[in-house]
Structure formats: structure tokens, C-alpha cells
Amino acid sequence: MTLRAEHVAVGTELPARTVTVTRADLVRYAGASEDFNPVHWNPRVAREAGMPDVIAHGMLTMAVAARTVTDWVRDPGAIVEYRTRFSSPVVVPDDEHGAYLEVRGRVGALLDGGRVRVDLTVTSGGVKVLGEARAVVQLGLPGQPEAPAEPGEHSR
Amino acid sequence: MALNPTCVGTKYPPAHPYPVAAEAIRRFAEAVGDPAAVYVDPDAARALGHPDVVAPPTFPFIVVARAMHDVFRYEEIGFDPTYIVHGNQRFEYTRPVRAGDRLVTTLEITSAKTLRGRDVLGLRADLADADGAHVVTTHMTLVSMVPVDAAEGGAGDDAQG
């Protein structure tokens, strides 16, 4: 089941996802991450900070985008590097739908040693919200066992 | 308040160890909407070669945030923390964080600049396990949304918290 480097080429598309983020999701993320910055739950403070309304935690958007990569590669331990710039805020309206995040990924480069670079595009309402969102992923190499031989080792 | 450029290079003493509980990982995975078994089921994690459940890729950020709360004071370097948003974020992993880890975070200030009227702070955090082995390094920039000089006008197009 290990995703192998020889099955992947530049341009290989990862399954696209659409994810909704509601005010309730922001509250849940605030609790789980202990990030109680009020711009993520208090419209008055969000406006004082210069935002049109409450915005999603950048780290929540980054986490939502990461799932596109981890679902594809199956093992979170395969991720070697993950980075992004937070280019535009995700404004989360106070309604039942919330904000829509569209996440797309494609293989942007084949690197040495079975590593590949996945380029992610994340938009909300047609606006790019993450800039240069990229993950470097270690894929399986030909001749490697399906699972690591030693318990406690991971697939890197 | 003015950001003090001489703070660049400041390295803080290691923060208190952060014990990673399986339950904290479950709660985090649920909060980011990821139902993958590897985050909640030790057998599923072991099938992938991990000794216990692992954390989603962005989980280390909350360990870093906790360490910042522990050792770091914005006021000491002249950074106004009233409205902070996140500029960029990078993780470099040796291995995923997993349940049972006791992570020790060491923080360093890597940059301090004023860009388009906003103070921007760069931080690096190195996370090591109880044996001192590297787990993950994170780099981030934080932007204070309080204008340094109101006459310079707004930036605010490169940040979202």
C-alpha cells in the first residue's frame, strides 16, 4: 500500500477536496490548540484588527490543506517538510455553511532519494489563501519492504 | 512600543517539557477534521511502523505556542501583541510527534523587521524528545497588526493568524 516514487510524475494530481469551516470549527480549533486569539471568535476584535469579520486560524487552514497530502501518502511520517505563507485571511461568516476551502495538490518536482514536492493550492471564494504551500514527501523506493522491518522505525 | 532589532539572535532557555498525550492528539485531529486512524488507533499507527499514535503535521505548532507562553515575552523585545496574525510557517521533520513524547522546545529570534508599517518577528523553534534527539524544527513569522506608524498606511495583505 506504500505509495512508491515510480508511480508518481511531475503533474500527478492529488484528489481535490472542498472543506467547510464554520464558527463552531473555529471554537473547536481554538480549544484544541489553546489559541484563544479573539480575531478568531470575536467579530468586534476582528474588525479592530482590520479584518472584515472573524477569520480562521491560519494554522487551521494549513492543517486542512495537510490532509490532502497525508490522505494521499497515507503515512504522516512520510512528510519531510511542510511550509506555507498565509497570503489572505479566510473570513468565516456567521451562518450555517461558514467558509469554503478548496484544496488542490499536484506533484511539482521529483527530488533525490524518492522524495517529491507537492504544491498545494488553497482558495476560499476564489481567493488564494495560502501562498507557496508546499510539502516534501518521502515515497517508497523500488525494492523497499512495504512496512519498515524494525518496530519503532518509520518510513523516512 | 518599537521593535528592538538587537533582539535578533536571542536564544531562550529550553521550555518546560511538553508531554504529548494520545488524547491531545485525538482532540487536535478532530478539531482539524481529520479522521485518519493513525492519529487515534495505536494498531493503525503500528501498521505504518510507528510505536504509538502520531500527531498531524501541524500539531508541533501548539507545542511551540506553549513554549512561547512559557519562556517568551513580546513586551521584552518591543513587539506589540495586541493583534497578532501569522505571516508564514514552515516545519522540517525528522519524525512525526507521537503519543508519549516529552518534547523540549528551544526558541530563537531569527528576524525582527518593520515591513509596510507592521512589525514582523521571525522565530525558530527546535523540538527534541526526552533523549535529546531532534523531532521537528519550525520557522514562523508573526505580524503585529498595530501600525508602527499610522501615516505609512496598511499592509495586512500577507497574514491571517
Side-chain angles (χ1 to χ4, degrees):
Chain A
M1 285 293 285
T2 308
L3 189 62
R4 290 177 182 279
E6 69 263 30
H7 298 141
V8 168
V10 170
T12 297
E13 304 253 350
L14 281 62
R17 297 165 52 235
T18 301
V19 180
T20 55
V21 176
T22 65
R23 291 283 177 93
D25 293 325
L26 300 189
V27 172
R28 186 176 292 115
Y29 185 78
S33 66
E34 296 185 283
D35 180 346
F36 298 106
N37 185 339
V39 300
H40 306 304
W41 54 268
N42 185 324
R44 175 181 55 80
V45 176
R47 283 190 285 270
E48 282 173 10
M51 301 298 172
D53 202 340
V54 163
I55 61 169
H57 304 73
M59 290 308 299
L60 174 56
T61 304
M62 192 177 187
V64 165
R67 187 182 162 194
T68 289
V69 181
T70 50
D71 277 357
W72 180 64
V73 75
R74 281 189 66 241
D75 182 2
I79 299 191
V80 178
E81 188 184 315
Y82 182 37
R83 66 195 300 172
T84 194
R85 194 161 51 76
F86 300 103
S87 42
S88 202
V90 175
V91 178
V92 179
D94 183 17
D95 62 28
E96 58 188 300
H97 305 295
Y100 290 86
L101 293 173
E102 310 274 348
V103 185
R104 294 177 172 279
R106 68 187 282 281
V107 174
L110 305 180
L111 310 173
D112 288 344
R115 292 180 173 194
V116 302
R117 193 191 75 218
V118 175
D119 298 345
L120 292 161
T121 306
V122 183
T123 59
S124 183
V127 175
K128 204 170 175 179
V129 293
L130 296 185
E132 293 156 49
R134 293 175 168 186
V136 175
V137 179
Q138 177 70 60
L139 300 183
L141 292 169
Q144 273 187 346
E146 290 283 305
E150 294 287 324
E153 292 296 307
H154 58 86
S155 61
R156 290 214 30 220
Chain B
M1 198 177 304
L3 187 57
N4 178 2
T6 65
C7 69
V8 176
T10 303
K11 204 165 181 173
Y12 293 84
H16 290 113
Y18 185 109
V20 179
E23 199 43 26
I25 292 176
R26 178 201 60 78
R27 194 160 54 228
F28 184 86
E30 219 164 80
V32 301
D34 195 331
V38 67
Y39 302 134
V40 290
D41 176 358
D43 289 336
R46 280 193 279 271
L48 291 171
H50 303 290
D52 204 335
V53 291
V54 300
T58 61
F59 181 90
F61 182 80
I62 72 173
V63 180
V64 174
R66 186 70 207 141
M68 287 177 67
H69 186 78
D70 191 13
V71 300
F72 180 83
R73 295 288 170 267
Y74 292 109
E75 293 78 1
E76 288 174 5
I77 58 164
F79 186 86
D80 189 330
T82 311
Y83 307 117
I84 293 180
V85 292
H86 211 150
N88 60 51
Q89 178 68 42
R90 178 163 106 238
F91 299 92
E92 296 159 355
Y93 308 90
T94 292
R95 65 162 174 86
V97 169
R98 57 189 178 227
D101 271 335
R102 282 177 70 80
L103 298 172
V104 174
T105 300
T106 309
L107 276 175
E108 182 182 349
I109 299 178
T110 52
S111 65
K113 297 175 199 163
T114 302
L115 296 172
R116 287 174 290 177
R118 299 285 191 276
D119 281 340
V120 182
L121 187 65
L123 292 167
R124 171 192 173 123
D126 293 288
L127 280 65
D129 65 18
D131 299 325
H134 180 260
V135 176
V136 55
T137 291
T138 78
H139 299 264
M140 68 177 112
T141 60
L142 299 174
V143 183
S144 172
M145 295 304 283
V146 177
V148 175
D149 176 356
E152 283 185 47
D157 56 345
D158 197 27
Q160 62 178 276

